[in-house]
Amino acid sequence: MGHYVPHTDDELARMLAFIGLTSLDELFDAVPQAMRLAGGLDLAPGLSEFETLDEMERLAGRNNACGPDLVCFAGAGAYDHEVPAAVKRLAFRSEFVTAYTPYQPEVAQGVLQTLFEYQTLIARLSGVEVANASLYDGASACVEAVNLAVAATGSQRVLLSQGVHPTWREVVRTFAQGTGHEIVEVPLANGVSDWSHGASDHSESAGAVVVQYPNHLGCIEDLAQARAVADRMGALLVVAFDPVAMGVLKTPGAYGADVVVGEGQPFGTPLSFGGPYLGLFACRMEHVRRLPGRLVGETVDTVGRRAYVTTLRTREQDIRREKASSNVCTNQTLIAVVCAIQLGWLGTGGLRELALRCARATRYTRESLLAIDGVQPAADAPVLREFAVRTPVPAETIVERMADEGFLAGVPLAEEYGGGLLVAATERRTKDEIDRYAGAFEKVIR
Amino acid sequence: MKATSIPLMGRAEEPTLFELSEPGRTAWSFREQALPEWSLEELVPAEHRGDEPVPVAEVSERDLVGHFTRLTHRQYSVDLGAYPLGSCTMKYNPKLCDDAAALPGLANVHPSAPAAMTQGWMELLDDLAEALCRITGMSACTLQPPAGAAGELTGLLLMRAWHEAQGRQRTKVIIPDSAHGTNPASVTLGGYQTVTVPSDDRGCVDLAALRSVLDEDVAGIMLTNPNTLGLFEEEITEIAAAVHDVGGLLYYDGANLNAILGVVRPGDMGFDIVHMNLHKTFAVPHGGGGPGAGPVAVSQRLASFLPGPLPRRGSDGQYQWFTPERSIGRIHSWHGNALALARAWSYILVNGGDGLLRVAEAAVLNANWLRHRLRGVYDIPFDRPNMHEFVASTRSLKKSDGLRALDVAKRLLEEGFHSPTVYFPLIVEEALMIEPTETESLQTLEDLADALERIARSPEDAAEAPRTTPVGRVDEARAARHLIPTWDARPVA
C-alpha cells in the first residue's frame, strides 16, 4: 500500500485522545449507521509504487503509441509535434504542477506572470486584444464563444459551419440543450463553408457565425466572406483557429473576428489520448466583461512593485452565482504554462518556420498520395497543414492495414463529409517517412 | 526547527518574456526534413498570407529556462508546504502518478486511433470508471467532464434529459445557501432556475424550509455532503426521500468526497448523480488551476443518458466504443483529460480500498484535531464534530482588534503556509475555511496552529502583511480599474 498518510500509531492515539475519541471509527459518528459501508470498499488492496507502475506499463503496452513503429499522419485536432526538453523539464517543475489556482497573488506570481505572458501570446496569435487564462479544450472554448455571442447580441440563433470539428459541434449541441440556443448547420461546398446555402434563412438575424480556420478538411476558409455574413445578420464572428497556422496565415483578428477560439495542444502537449488539452479563448476588448474563465491583469503591490492578479473577478461564477454566464472554475492552467513556454522556445522565427515545415510536409504528402491511381482530392480549396482524400477502399480499412505497415494513416471522415481520409503531416515528418508512407498506401489500397 | 518555504521565494522582480527578447535571438531547432524548400509565397495564397510574422518573443533557450525557473521561485505549491485551502483538498500528489502519466504508451496515443490500437487506454478508462462506481455506489460513469463545473453541468443535462424522457418539464433546481458558486452557475446553464434553501442553526439544510419549496416543478437538488462547513448532512435520508417524493433527483457535488472514502457512498445516501473532482480526492495535481477531471457517475436508471462514447469489453475480451441509447451527447472533444485520469487510476491502485479508507480517516482526524486546537483562538461557529474541514471565523477578533479573515490569510503567508479559503461559505462572517488534508503530519499541524495562534495574539501589524513574500499585498482594485490583461495593453511610457 502507498504510504502517503504520515501518521504513526502513536500520533493517531494522541490525536484521538486530544479530541476526546478512542477510535478512528468514532470520527464518523455523524454518518447514520444504516448507510455506513460494511466491509470496506470493493477494491483490491493497495500496491507498492513499483507494482502500480508495472500495471500502468502493462496498460500502456496494450496501446499502439505513435513513434518510430507507428509514424503519425493523423491530425483532426490532435497533432504530432515536437516537444523540446526545455519545455518538458520546466513544465514538470513542482511549483507549476502542484500549485492551486492563484487566489493568494502574493505567493502566486510565478503562475500569474506566466499566464499574463500566455494571454499576451494568445492575443497576438488571435489578432484580437484580450485572451483569457484558458478553457478546457477547443470544444469547450467554442461553447463559451457561442454563449458570449448570444449574450452580446441577444439572439440565440447560431450559424455553425460544418467545417468546424465534428466533435466540437456535437459538444456545442449538447450544451445547447441547457441554454436553448438554436444551432443551424452550414454545409460545405468544395471544402469551404457554403454561405449561400439556404441564403434566405441567412438574411434573418443571428447571434453567432462560427467558422473554423483552416477547417476540419484542412481548407482555408474565406474569413472576409464569413465576416460579411455575420455583419448582414448582426452576429458576432467566432473563428475557431489553428494556432500553428498563424505562423503563416493572416490572423482572425485581421479579418475582424470578434471571438477567437482554438485548441492549444500543438504547443507542447503530447497527443495524450485527447487530454488534457488547452482551450484557447480570445476576444475584442469590448467583450471583456463577458469573457469566460479567469483573466490575469497587471497591477502593483503596496510599494509600487509590478505584480499580477486575477482580475474582473465579478464576472466569475463564485461571485455572480446564478447570474453567471459561465460556470468555469478550474481550467487548464498547467497546459497554458506549457503553451507559453513552448511559444517562447519557438519564438517569432520558429513559429513561422514550424508552420512552413508543416505546410511543406503536407504538400509533399498530398502530392505523393494524389499521384497514386484511384486517390482523389476531397476538395480543391487551398489547404495548409492537413488535407482530405477520397480512396477506392474505405478509409477505416486503410487505417487498419497501414497500422501493419507502421503508420497511423490518418483519421477517417464521417459520412457528412462523404467519407474519405483526413491526413496531416507535421514538422516531424521527413521525406523518407513520407515516401515510405505513400508506398505503403499504394500497396494497401490494391 | 520548522520547515518553511520562505527562503525559496524569489524576491526580485522578474522581467517578462517580452522584455528579455532581443530581435534575432532564437532557441528553436527542427529535424532535417529533406523536403522541397517551397517558399511562403508558394505555400500560402496571397489573400490568406500573413506577410509579417506574428511577434512572439526572441530569447535563447538559456534565457527561457532561466526566466521560467525564476518564476517558479515566486510560486507557492504543495510540494513546498501545507495548503489548508478549504474545499480544495490540496493534498500531496504522489510522484509515482507523474511517472505513470508520462509513460510513452499512454502519452503518445492519438485520440482518433481505432479501438483495436487503444485497448490499453480503453481498459484503463473502464477500470477507473468501475472503481469510481464502487467508491460512490453508482452504476455507470462518464470520464469526459474535464473539471468539476463541467461535471455539474453534465449532471444537470442528465437530469433534464431524464425528466424529458418521463414526459415532464421541470423548471427549478434547489441548492443550499452554503453551496459552491459553480452550483448555481451550472443550474443556469442547464436551463433551470436556482431556488436557494437556507441552512439551519446547526449548519445543515433546513429540512422544513426544503419541504416548503418542494413541488412538481423541482427537477432536483444539488448537495455537497459533507457540506462546505465540513458538516455531514445527518438528515440526508429524509432529504432524499422528500426530493424523490416529488419526482426530483439528487445530485452529489463530490468536492468533499475525500472525507467519506470507504466510509459511506453517495449512492447509499440516496443520490442519483455524482460528480467527483479527481484533482481533489484522487491526487491529480492542481497545476495552478487545472487541468482537473470531473467524472460523473449515475444510478442505473440514468445510465442510458450518459455522454458517449464509453468503452465496453466484449465477450471476446476486446474493448469497443459504444454510445448509450439516449445519450445527451459528448461534452468533451475526446475522452476527457485522459492523462489526468491515468494519474487518478494509479493513485487508486497504489492506495487500494484499504488505503482510501485511511485517507478519509486521517483527513477527518486532522481537521478535527485542528478545530480543537484552535478553540478559544478563533471563533468556531459550528463547533461540533466535523469531517475533512471546518470553518473558523475572526468575527470576535475583528470586533476587538480589527483582525479580518483577509489579514489572517496574508499573515499566514509570511509564516510560510498557504492561507485557508477566506470569506466562504458566504453564510459565515469573516470565514476561514480550513482543510488540512490527510497528508500533513502532526508536526505540520502543530506549526500551522502555532502560526495561527501567533497571528490572533498579535494582530497589530496584520494589515501590513505579507512582508516576506515576493510581492506585498497586491492592488486588486487597480487591476480591475485600469485593466492591463496583456503586455501590449500597457500604457506606453
Side-chain angles (χ1 to χ4, degrees), chain A residues 2 7 37 58 62-64 66 82 94 97 99 104 106-107 111 119-120 124 137 174 177 248 250 272-273 298-299 301 322 327 331 352 360 363 431, chain B residues 19 31 33 38 42 48 50 67 75-76 79 107-110 117 121 123 186 188 263 287-289 328 330 333 350 366 410 472 475 485 487-488 490:
Chain A
H7 305 58
L37 187 61
R58 183 190 70 78
R62 295 196 64 204
N63 296 317
N64 290 30
C66 292
E82 307 276 16
S94 284
V97 174
Q104 297 294 336
E106 296 84 2
V107 291
V111 165
Q119 289 172 185
T120 302
R124 287 180 181 181
D137 62 354
T174 302
Q177 294 165 42
V248 291
K250 281 198 182 85
S272 315
F273 201 48
E298 185 189 310
T299 183
D301 74 354
E322 64 266 27
N327 71 338
N331 52 28
R352 169 147 287 187
R360 287 186 193 123
R363 172 171 291 188
K431 179 174 181 296
Chain B
E19 291 161 283
R31 68 183 70 224
Q33 289 176 296
W38 288 302
E42 288 169 301
H48 299 299
H67 172 65
Q75 178 64 45
Y76 195 84
D79 282 5
N108 296 339
V109 179
H110 195 284
M117 296 164 72
W121 261 116
E123 182 178 346
S186 299
T188 300
V263 176
I328 58 167
R330 274 181 182 277
S333 304
V350 78
N366 275 1
K410 301 303 182 192
D475 190 344
W487 179 252
D488 303 322
R490 302 179 98 231

Coordinates of all heavy atoms in Angstrom, one line a residue, chain A residues 2 7 37 58 62-64 66 82 94 97 99 104 106-107 111 119-120 124 137 174 177 248 250 272-273 298-299 301 322 327 331 352 360 363 431, chain B residues 19 31 33 38 42 48 50 67 75-76 79 107-110 117 121 123 186 188 263 287-289 328 330 333 350 366 410 472 475 485 487-488 490:
Chain A
G2 N 0.4 2.3 -0.7 CA 1.2 3.5 -0.7 C 1.1 4.2 0.7 O 0.1 4.0 1.4
H7 N 0.8 9.6 9.5 CA 0.6 9.4 11.0 C 1.1 8.1 11.5 O 0.8 7.1 10.9 CB -0.9 9.5 11.3 CG -1.6 10.8 10.8 ND1 -1.6 11.2 9.5 CD2 -2.3 11.7 11.5 CE1 -2.2 12.3 9.4 NE2 -2.6 12.7 10.5
L37 N -20.8 1.9 5.1 CA -20.4 0.9 4.2 C -19.8 -0.2 5.1 O -18.8 0.0 5.8 CB -19.3 1.4 3.3 CG -18.7 0.6 2.2 CD1 -19.9 0.2 1.2 CD2 -17.7 1.3 1.4
R58 N 1.8 -2.2 -18.1 CA 1.1 -3.2 -18.8 C -0.1 -2.6 -19.7 O -0.2 -2.9 -20.9 CB 0.4 -4.2 -17.8 CG -0.3 -5.4 -18.5 CD -1.1 -6.2 -17.5 NE -2.3 -5.5 -17.0 CZ -3.4 -5.4 -17.7 NH1 -3.5 -5.9 -18.9 NH2 -4.4 -4.7 -17.1
R62 N -0.5 -2.1 -24.1 CA -1.6 -2.6 -24.9 C -2.0 -1.6 -25.9 O -2.9 -1.8 -26.7 CB -2.8 -3.0 -24.0 CG -2.5 -4.2 -23.1 CD -3.8 -4.8 -22.6 NE -4.6 -5.3 -23.7 CZ -5.9 -5.5 -23.6 NH1 -6.6 -5.1 -22.6 NH2 -6.5 -6.0 -24.7
N63 N -1.4 -0.4 -25.9 CA -1.7 0.6 -26.9 C -0.7 0.6 -28.0 O 0.5 0.3 -27.8 CB -1.7 2.0 -26.3 CG -2.8 2.2 -25.2 OD1 -3.9 1.7 -25.4 ND2 -2.4 2.8 -24.1
N64 N -1.1 1.0 -29.2 CA -0.2 1.3 -30.3 C 0.1 2.8 -30.2 O -0.7 3.6 -30.8 CB -0.8 1.0 -31.7 CG -0.9 -0.5 -31.9 OD1 -1.1 -1.2 -30.9 ND2 -0.8 -0.9 -33.1
C66 N 2.1 6.3 -31.0 CA 2.8 6.9 -32.1 C 4.3 7.0 -31.8 O 4.7 7.2 -30.6 CB 2.3 8.3 -32.4 SG 0.6 8.2 -33.1
E82 N 6.8 18.2 -32.2 CA 8.0 18.0 -31.4 C 7.8 18.7 -30.0 O 7.2 19.8 -30.0 CB 9.2 18.6 -32.0 CG 9.5 18.2 -33.4 CD 10.3 16.8 -33.5 OE1 10.4 16.1 -32.4 OE2 10.9 16.5 -34.5
S94 N 7.7 21.2 -9.8 CA 6.7 21.1 -8.8 C 5.9 22.4 -8.6 O 4.7 22.4 -8.3 CB 7.3 20.8 -7.4 OG 7.7 19.5 -7.4
V97 N 3.3 22.4 -11.2 CA 2.4 21.3 -11.2 C 1.5 21.2 -10.0 O 0.4 20.9 -10.1 CB 3.2 20.0 -11.3 CG1 2.4 18.7 -11.2 CG2 4.0 19.9 -12.7
A99 N 0.7 23.7 -7.7 CA 0.1 24.9 -7.1 C -1.4 24.9 -7.3 O -1.9 24.2 -8.1 CB 0.7 26.2 -7.8
Q104 N -4.1 33.6 -3.8 CA -3.3 34.5 -3.0 C -2.2 35.0 -3.9 O -1.1 34.3 -4.0 CB -2.8 33.7 -1.8 CG -3.9 33.2 -0.8 CD -4.6 34.3 -0.1 OE1 -4.1 35.5 0.0 NE2 -5.8 34.1 0.3
E106 N 0.1 37.1 -3.7 CA 1.5 37.4 -3.2 C 2.4 36.2 -3.2 O 3.6 36.3 -3.3 CB 1.3 37.9 -1.7 CG 0.6 39.2 -1.6 CD -0.9 39.1 -1.6 OE1 -1.4 37.9 -1.6 OE2 -1.6 40.1 -1.5
V107 N 1.8 35.0 -3.2 CA 2.7 33.8 -3.3 C 2.4 33.0 -4.6 O 2.6 31.8 -4.7 CB 2.5 32.8 -2.1 CG1 3.1 33.5 -0.9 CG2 1.0 32.4 -1.9
V111 N 2.9 31.6 -11.4 CA 1.8 31.2 -12.3 C 1.1 32.4 -12.9 O 0.8 32.4 -14.1 CB 0.8 30.3 -11.5 CG1 -0.5 30.2 -12.3 CG2 1.4 29.0 -11.2
Q119 N -1.5 35.0 -22.0 CA -2.6 35.8 -22.6 C -2.1 36.7 -23.7 O -2.8 36.9 -24.7 CB -3.2 36.6 -21.4 CG -4.0 35.8 -20.5 CD -4.5 36.5 -19.2 OE1 -5.1 35.9 -18.3 NE2 -4.3 37.8 -19.2
T120 N -0.9 37.3 -23.4 CA -0.3 38.2 -24.4 C -0.1 37.4 -25.7 O -0.4 37.9 -26.8 CB 1.0 38.8 -23.9 OG1 0.7 39.5 -22.7 CG2 1.6 39.8 -24.9
R124 N -1.9 37.9 -29.4 CA -1.2 38.2 -30.6 C -1.5 37.3 -31.7 O -1.7 37.7 -32.9 CB 0.3 38.3 -30.3 CG 0.8 39.4 -29.5 CD 2.3 39.4 -29.3 NE 2.7 40.5 -28.5 CZ 4.0 40.7 -28.1 NH1 4.9 39.8 -28.5 NH2 4.3 41.8 -27.4
D137 N -10.8 22.8 -23.5 CA -10.3 22.3 -24.8 C -10.9 23.1 -25.9 O -11.7 24.1 -25.6 CB -10.6 20.8 -24.9 CG -12.1 20.5 -24.9 OD1 -12.9 21.5 -24.7 OD2 -12.5 19.4 -25.2
T174 N -24.7 19.6 -27.5 CA -25.0 19.1 -26.1 C -25.4 20.2 -25.1 O -26.4 20.2 -24.5 CB -23.8 18.3 -25.6 OG1 -23.5 17.2 -26.5 CG2 -24.1 17.7 -24.2
Q177 N -28.7 22.1 -25.2 CA -29.9 21.5 -24.6 C -30.2 22.3 -23.3 O -31.4 22.4 -22.9 CB -29.6 20.1 -24.2 CG -29.5 19.1 -25.4 CD -28.9 17.8 -25.0 OE1 -29.2 17.2 -24.0 NE2 -27.9 17.3 -25.8
V248 N 1.9 31.5 -40.6 CA 1.9 31.9 -42.0 C 0.6 32.6 -42.5 O 0.6 33.2 -43.5 CB 2.2 30.8 -42.9 CG1 3.7 30.3 -42.7 CG2 1.3 29.6 -42.8
K250 N -2.9 35.1 -42.2 CA -3.4 36.3 -41.5 C -4.2 35.9 -40.3 O -4.8 34.8 -40.3 CB -4.4 37.1 -42.5 CG -3.8 37.9 -43.5 CD -4.8 38.9 -44.1 CE -4.3 39.8 -45.2 NZ -4.4 39.1 -46.5
S272 N -1.5 12.5 -26.0 CA -2.2 12.3 -24.7 C -3.6 11.6 -24.8 O -4.4 11.8 -23.9 CB -2.3 13.6 -23.9 OG -1.2 14.3 -24.0
F273 N -3.9 10.9 -25.8 CA -5.2 10.3 -26.0 C -6.3 11.3 -25.8 O -7.4 11.0 -25.4 CB -5.4 9.1 -25.0 CG -6.5 8.1 -25.5 CD1 -6.5 7.6 -26.8 CD2 -7.5 7.7 -24.6 CE1 -7.5 6.7 -27.2 CE2 -8.4 6.8 -25.0 CZ -8.4 6.3 -26.3
E298 N -2.2 43.0 -14.9 CA -1.0 43.6 -14.3 C -1.5 44.7 -13.3 O -2.4 45.5 -13.6 CB -0.1 44.2 -15.3 CG 1.2 44.7 -14.7 CD 2.1 45.5 -15.7 OE1 2.3 45.0 -16.9 OE2 2.4 46.6 -15.4
T299 N -0.8 44.8 -12.2 CA -1.1 45.9 -11.2 C 0.2 46.1 -10.4 O 1.3 45.8 -10.9 CB -2.3 45.5 -10.3 OG1 -2.6 46.6 -9.5 CG2 -2.1 44.3 -9.5
D301 N 2.0 46.3 -6.2 CA 1.8 45.9 -4.8 C 1.8 47.2 -4.0 O 1.9 48.3 -4.6 CB 2.7 44.9 -4.3 CG 4.2 45.4 -4.1 OD1 4.4 46.6 -4.4 OD2 5.0 44.6 -3.6
E322 N -25.9 32.4 -9.7 CA -26.9 32.0 -10.7 C -26.9 33.1 -11.9 O -27.5 32.8 -12.9 CB -28.3 31.7 -10.2 CG -29.0 32.9 -9.5 CD -28.7 33.0 -8.0 OE1 -27.7 32.5 -7.6 OE2 -29.6 33.6 -7.3
N327 N -19.8 28.8 -16.1 CA -19.6 28.2 -14.8 C -18.2 27.7 -14.6 O -17.8 27.0 -13.6 CB -20.6 27.0 -14.6 CG -20.2 25.8 -15.5 OD1 -19.5 26.0 -16.5 ND2 -20.6 24.6 -15.1
N331 N -9.5 25.4 -14.7 CA -9.3 25.4 -16.2 C -8.2 24.5 -16.5 O -8.1 23.4 -16.0 CB -9.2 26.9 -16.7 CG -8.1 27.7 -15.9 OD1 -7.2 27.1 -15.4 ND2 -8.3 28.9 -15.9
R352 N 7.0 30.7 -37.4 CA 6.9 30.8 -38.9 C 7.5 29.5 -39.5 O 6.9 28.9 -40.3 CB 7.5 32.0 -39.4 CG 7.7 32.0 -40.9 CD 7.5 33.4 -41.6 NE 6.1 33.8 -41.6 CZ 5.7 34.9 -42.2 NH1 6.5 35.7 -42.9 NH2 4.4 35.3 -42.1
R360 N 5.0 22.3 -45.9 CA 5.8 21.6 -46.9 C 5.6 20.1 -46.8 O 5.4 19.4 -47.8 CB 7.3 21.9 -46.6 CG 7.7 23.3 -47.1 CD 9.2 23.5 -47.0 NE 9.6 24.9 -47.1 CZ 10.2 25.6 -46.2 NH1 10.7 25.0 -45.1 NH2 10.5 26.8 -46.3
R363 N 2.1 19.4 -48.2 CA 2.0 19.5 -49.7 C 2.7 18.2 -50.3 O 2.2 17.6 -51.2 CB 2.7 20.7 -50.2 CG 2.8 20.7 -51.7 CD 3.2 22.0 -52.3 NE 2.2 23.0 -52.2 CZ 2.2 24.2 -52.7 NH1 3.3 24.5 -53.5 NH2 1.3 25.1 -52.6
K431 N 11.1 13.5 -45.6 CA 10.8 12.9 -47.0 C 10.8 11.4 -47.0 O 10.0 10.8 -47.6 CB 11.9 13.5 -48.0 CG 11.7 13.0 -49.4 CD 12.7 13.7 -50.3 CE 12.5 13.2 -51.8 NZ 12.8 11.8 -51.9
Chain B
E19 N 10.3 41.6 -22.4 CA 11.5 42.4 -22.1 C 12.8 41.7 -22.3 O 13.8 42.4 -22.5 CB 11.3 42.9 -20.6 CG 10.1 43.9 -20.4 CD 9.7 44.0 -19.0 OE1 9.1 43.0 -18.5 OE2 10.1 45.0 -18.3
R31 N 14.2 19.0 -37.0 CA 15.0 18.0 -37.7 C 15.0 18.3 -39.2 O 14.2 19.0 -39.7 CB 14.4 16.6 -37.4 CG 13.0 16.4 -38.0 CD 12.5 15.0 -37.6 NE 12.1 14.9 -36.2 CZ 12.5 13.9 -35.4 NH1 13.1 12.9 -35.9 NH2 12.1 13.9 -34.1
Q33 N 14.1 17.7 -42.7 CA 13.0 17.0 -43.4 C 13.4 16.5 -44.8 O 12.8 15.6 -45.3 CB 11.8 17.9 -43.5 CG 11.1 18.2 -42.2 CD 9.9 19.1 -42.4 OE1 10.1 20.3 -42.7 NE2 8.7 18.7 -42.2
W38 N 9.7 24.7 -50.6 CA 8.7 25.6 -51.1 C 8.7 26.8 -50.2 O 8.8 26.7 -49.0 CB 7.4 24.9 -51.1 CG 7.2 23.9 -52.1 CD1 7.3 24.0 -53.5 CD2 6.9 22.5 -51.9 NE1 7.1 22.8 -54.1 CE2 6.8 21.9 -53.2 CE3 6.6 21.7 -50.8 CZ2 6.5 20.5 -53.4 CZ3 6.3 20.4 -51.0 CH2 6.3 19.8 -52.3
E42 N 4.8 30.3 -52.2 CA 4.3 29.1 -52.9 C 3.3 28.3 -52.1 O 2.5 27.6 -52.7 CB 5.5 28.2 -53.3 CG 6.4 28.8 -54.4 CD 7.7 28.0 -54.5 OE1 8.5 27.9 -53.5 OE2 8.0 27.4 -55.6
H48 N -4.6 34.9 -48.2 CA -4.6 34.4 -46.8 C -3.3 34.6 -46.1 O -3.2 34.4 -44.9 CB -4.9 32.9 -46.8 CG -6.2 32.5 -47.4 ND1 -7.4 32.9 -46.9 CD2 -6.5 31.7 -48.5 CE1 -8.4 32.4 -47.7 NE2 -7.8 31.7 -48.7
G50 N -0.1 35.8 -44.1 CA 0.3 36.8 -43.1 C 1.7 37.2 -43.5 O 2.6 36.5 -43.2
H67 N 14.3 32.3 -17.1 CA 13.1 33.1 -16.8 C 12.0 32.3 -16.1 O 11.5 32.7 -15.0 CB 12.5 33.6 -18.2 CG 11.2 34.2 -18.1 ND1 11.0 35.4 -17.4 CD2 10.0 33.9 -18.6 CE1 9.7 35.8 -17.6 NE2 9.1 34.9 -18.3
Q75 N 6.5 31.2 -6.6 CA 5.3 30.5 -6.6 C 5.2 29.5 -5.5 O 6.1 28.7 -5.3 CB 5.2 29.7 -8.0 CG 3.9 28.9 -8.1 CD 2.7 29.8 -8.1 OE1 2.6 30.8 -8.7 NE2 1.7 29.3 -7.3
Y76 N 4.2 29.5 -4.7 CA 4.0 28.6 -3.7 C 3.3 27.3 -4.3 O 2.7 27.4 -5.3 CB 3.0 29.1 -2.6 CG 3.0 28.3 -1.3 CD1 3.9 28.6 -0.3 CD2 2.0 27.4 -1.1 CE1 3.9 27.9 0.9 CE2 2.0 26.7 0.1 CZ 2.9 26.9 1.1 OH 2.9 26.2 2.3
D79 N 4.2 21.0 -3.0 CA 5.5 20.4 -2.7 C 6.4 21.2 -1.8 O 7.3 20.7 -1.2 CB 6.2 20.1 -4.1 CG 5.6 18.8 -4.7 OD1 4.6 18.3 -4.2 OD2 6.1 18.4 -5.8
A107 N 1.1 8.5 -23.2 CA 1.1 9.9 -23.6 C 1.2 10.1 -25.1 O 0.8 11.1 -25.6 CB 2.3 10.6 -23.0
N108 N 1.6 9.1 -25.9 CA 1.8 9.3 -27.3 C 0.7 8.6 -28.2 O 0.9 8.2 -29.3 CB 3.2 8.8 -27.8 CG 4.3 9.7 -27.1 OD1 4.0 10.8 -26.7 ND2 5.5 9.1 -27.1
V109 N -0.5 8.4 -27.6 CA -1.5 7.7 -28.3 C -2.5 8.8 -28.9 O -3.0 9.7 -28.1 CB -2.3 6.8 -27.4 CG1 -3.5 6.1 -28.1 CG2 -1.4 5.7 -26.8
H110 N -2.8 8.7 -30.2 CA -3.7 9.6 -30.8 C -5.1 9.3 -30.4 O -5.5 8.1 -30.5 CB -3.5 9.5 -32.3 CG -4.1 10.7 -33.1 ND1 -5.5 10.8 -33.2 CD2 -3.6 11.8 -33.6 CE1 -5.7 11.9 -33.9 NE2 -4.6 12.6 -34.1
M117 N -6.3 -0.3 -31.6 CA -5.0 0.2 -31.3 C -4.9 0.9 -29.9 O -3.8 1.4 -29.5 CB -4.5 1.2 -32.4 CG -4.4 0.5 -33.8 SD -4.3 1.6 -35.2 CE -2.7 2.3 -34.9
W121 N -5.7 1.9 -23.2 CA -6.4 3.1 -22.7 C -7.8 2.7 -22.4 O -8.4 3.2 -21.4 CB -6.4 4.2 -23.8 CG -5.3 5.2 -23.5 CD1 -4.3 5.6 -24.3 CD2 -5.3 6.1 -22.4 NE1 -3.6 6.6 -23.7 CE2 -4.1 7.0 -22.6 CE3 -6.1 6.3 -21.2 CZ2 -3.8 8.0 -21.6 CZ3 -5.7 7.3 -20.3 CH2 -4.6 8.1 -20.5
E123 N -9.1 -0.1 -21.6 CA -9.1 -0.9 -20.3 C -9.0 0.0 -19.1 O -9.7 -0.2 -18.1 CB -8.1 -2.0 -20.4 CG -8.1 -2.9 -19.2 CD -7.0 -4.0 -19.2 OE1 -6.5 -4.3 -20.3 OE2 -6.8 -4.7 -18.2
S186 N -24.0 26.6 -12.8 CA -24.3 25.4 -13.6 C -25.8 25.2 -13.8 O -26.3 24.9 -14.9 CB -23.7 24.1 -13.0 OG -22.3 24.2 -12.9
T188 N -28.0 27.6 -14.0 CA -28.5 28.5 -15.0 C -28.2 28.0 -16.4 O -29.0 28.0 -17.3 CB -27.8 29.9 -14.8 OG1 -28.2 30.3 -13.5 CG2 -28.3 30.9 -15.8
V263 N -16.1 5.0 3.8 CA -17.0 5.1 5.0 C -18.5 5.0 4.6 O -19.2 4.2 5.2 CB -16.7 6.4 5.7 CG1 -17.6 6.6 6.9 CG2 -15.2 6.5 6.1
G287 N -2.1 21.9 -10.8 CA -1.5 22.6 -11.9 C -1.6 24.1 -11.9 O -1.6 24.7 -13.0
G288 N -1.8 24.7 -10.8 CA -2.0 26.2 -10.7 C -3.4 26.6 -11.2 O -3.6 27.8 -11.4
G289 N -4.3 25.6 -11.3 CA -5.7 26.0 -11.7 C -6.1 25.0 -12.8 O -6.9 25.4 -13.7
I328 N -27.0 12.1 -23.9 CA -27.1 13.6 -24.0 C -26.1 14.1 -25.0 O -26.2 15.3 -25.5 CB -26.9 14.4 -22.7 CG1 -25.6 14.0 -22.1 CG2 -28.1 14.0 -21.7 CD1 -25.2 15.0 -20.9
R330 N -21.8 14.2 -26.5 CA -20.5 14.5 -26.0 C -20.4 15.8 -25.2 O -21.1 16.7 -25.5 CB -19.5 14.7 -27.2 CG -18.9 13.5 -27.8 CD -18.0 14.0 -28.9 NE -17.4 12.8 -29.5 CZ -16.4 12.2 -29.1 NH1 -15.7 12.6 -28.0 NH2 -15.9 11.1 -29.7
S333 N -14.1 17.1 -26.4 CA -13.6 16.8 -27.8 C -13.3 15.3 -27.9 O -13.6 14.8 -29.0 CB -12.3 17.6 -28.1 OG -12.5 19.0 -28.0
V350 N -2.5 2.4 -6.1 CA -1.4 2.3 -5.0 C -2.1 2.4 -3.6 O -1.5 1.8 -2.7 CB -0.4 3.5 -5.3 CG1 -0.9 4.8 -4.8 CG2 0.9 3.1 -4.6
N366 N -7.3 14.9 11.1 CA -6.5 16.2 11.1 C -7.4 17.4 11.2 O -7.1 18.3 12.0 CB -5.8 16.3 9.7 CG -4.4 15.5 9.8 OD1 -4.1 14.9 10.8 ND2 -3.7 15.5 8.7
K410 N -3.2 36.8 4.8 CA -1.9 37.4 4.4 C -0.8 37.2 5.4 O 0.4 37.0 5.0 CB -2.1 38.9 4.1 CG -3.2 39.2 3.0 CD -3.0 38.5 1.7 CE -4.0 39.0 0.7 NZ -4.0 38.1 -0.6
G472 N 4.3 42.4 -2.0 CA 3.4 42.7 -0.9 C 2.0 42.7 -1.4 O 1.7 42.2 -2.5
D475 N -2.6 45.2 -5.3 CA -3.7 46.1 -5.5 C -4.7 45.6 -6.6 O -4.6 45.8 -7.8 CB -3.2 47.5 -6.0 CG -4.2 48.6 -6.0 OD1 -5.4 48.3 -5.9 OD2 -3.8 49.8 -6.0
P485 N -4.6 43.4 -19.4 CA -4.6 41.9 -19.5 C -3.5 41.3 -20.4 O -3.3 40.1 -20.4 CB -6.0 41.7 -20.1 CG -6.2 42.8 -21.0 CD -5.5 44.0 -20.3
W487 N 0.7 42.3 -22.2 CA 1.8 43.2 -22.3 C 1.6 44.3 -23.3 O 2.0 45.5 -23.1 CB 3.1 42.4 -22.8 CG 4.3 43.2 -22.9 CD1 4.9 43.5 -24.1 CD2 5.1 43.7 -21.8 NE1 6.0 44.3 -23.8 CE2 6.1 44.4 -22.4 CE3 4.9 43.7 -20.4 CZ2 7.1 45.1 -21.7 CZ3 5.9 44.4 -19.7 CH2 6.9 45.1 -20.3
D488 N 0.8 44.0 -24.3 CA 0.6 45.0 -25.4 C -0.5 46.1 -24.9 O -0.6 47.1 -25.6 CB 0.1 44.4 -26.7 CG 1.1 43.3 -27.2 OD1 2.3 43.6 -27.0 OD2 0.7 42.3 -27.6
R490 N -0.3 47.6 -22.0 CA 0.2 48.5 -21.1 C 0.3 49.9 -21.7 O 0.5 50.1 -22.8 CB 1.7 48.1 -20.7 CG 1.8 46.7 -20.2 CD 3.3 46.4 -19.9 NE 3.6 46.6 -18.5 CZ 4.6 47.4 -18.1 NH1 5.3 48.0 -18.9 NH2 4.8 47.5 -16.8

